[in-house]
Amino acid sequence: MKKVDTFRALHRNRLQDDPLVLPGPWDAVSARVYEEAGFPALATPSAGIAAALGHEDGSTPADEMFAAVTRICGAVEIPVSADVEGGYGLAPKELVERLLEAGAVGCNLEDSEHGLLKDPHRHADWLAEVRYAAGDRLFVNARVDTFSYGDGNPERAIERAALYVAAGADCVYPIGAPVDVLPLLRSGIQGPLNVFGRLDGEGPSPTELGELGATRVTFGPGLQRAAARTLREAADRLRTQT
């Protein structure tokens, strides 16, 4: 079975209390750690990779992002989906080719730019072009930024999601959706639902997010930031010993 088929199958027939948990590697070492821990697949965070490369979130040059994704994909045997933000202005065919060359089996694509929501119909048309160029070679996760940059109305998020699913998106990601609206989103959105998971203990666990409707859970740059805090604590301890 091809990696993309394996990845796609991981989203099917999941029990309500067993969502697909996808850690976010920012380099080869972190990717190997997650693979060795037993996770079946990974999803890179653009913000985590940006931090690792010394960039602000959203300012990583395309070539650097694809190079980082290539190193991560090459470091593990399990499937890797790549967050490529808004596609870096690449034509759909070129975007698909670069993702496949990097070894990715999927991609996360945003529907906002510079903090503003894109027109959902034009974005859906663009997603349809990505889907056509990719065929069945990539799993497309369409991010919905209504709760980040829009009015936060779940009905608007559902409307955007419907357009993206109709355009061929395999999964929808209403990032930043409040926990209490997840059941509504689940009832109104067809197909797999990606939900953001928190690592600070303040939010629901992945199991609880699954019970609320999540098909899969990703963490953005949360794991990279947690690793950075751990490194800082180790550095502080070392400093006090010298």
Side-chain angles (χ1 to χ4, degrees):
M1 182 181 290
K2 294 184 295 185
K3 282 186 181 181
V4 65
D5 295 330
T6 299
F7 188 67
R8 190 169 278 113
L10 288 169
H11 294 76
R12 299 191 187 117
N13 303 317
R14 302 211 64 93
L15 298 177
Q16 202 169 18
D17 61 352
D18 183 33
L20 175 62
V21 176
L22 297 174
W26 57 94
D27 60 11
V29 172
S30 58
R32 291 191 185 110
V33 167
Y34 300 140
E35 181 179 46
E36 291 167 2
F39 289 98
L42 306 173
T44 69
S46 61
I49 289 177
L53 295 176
H55 298 294
E56 294 295 323
D57 184 21
S59 66
T60 306
D63 287 347
E64 291 190 41
M65 182 62 75
F66 284 110
V69 171
T70 299
R71 287 191 292 273
I72 290 169
C73 292
V76 295
E77 295 297 325
I78 56 178
V80 178
S81 181
D83 181 352
V84 287
E85 303 177 295
Y88 308 109
L90 300 173
K93 186 174 185 295
E94 183 179 359
L95 176 61
V96 167
E97 289 174 350
R98 295 198 69 173
L99 283 162
L100 293 173
E101 288 171 0
V105 301
C107 58
N108 185 70
L109 297 168
E110 303 169 2
D111 71 343
S112 64
E113 186 173 22
H114 305 305
L116 298 173
L117 288 173
K118 297 177 181 178
D119 177 88
H121 295 279
R122 285 201 294 269
H123 186 62
D125 289 343
W126 182 76
L127 285 175
E129 292 182 48
V130 173
R131 174 83 282 159
Y132 178 78
D136 62 358
R137 297 178 295 171
L138 287 175
F139 185 98
V140 177
N141 187 40
R143 204 175 92 174
V144 178
D145 286 354
T146 304
F147 299 99
S148 297
Y149 304 119
D151 61 7
N153 186 330
E155 295 296 340
R156 301 291 83 75
I158 290 172
E159 290 170 2
R160 282 178 172 264
L163 289 171
Y164 304 159
V165 170
D170 297 288
C171 185
V172 175
Y173 181 16
I175 190 171
V179 171
D180 60 356
V181 305
L182 291 181
L184 175 61
L185 295 176
R186 174 67 285 168
S187 66
I189 295 175
Q190 295 183 1
L193 183 67
N194 190 149
V195 173
F196 178 78
R198 296 178 60 173
L199 297 166
D200 55 9
E202 297 296 322
S205 68
T207 295
E208 291 168 331
L209 290 174
E211 292 170 344
L212 291 168
T215 308
R216 75 182 211 179
V217 179
T218 55
F219 306 90
L223 286 156
Q224 183 271 330
R225 291 173 180 171
R229 288 193 297 271
T230 299
L231 182 61
R232 176 57 187 269
E233 292 168 2
D236 288 342
R237 288 195 300 271
L238 180 62
R239 185 68 183 85
T240 61
Q241 296 171 9
T242 57

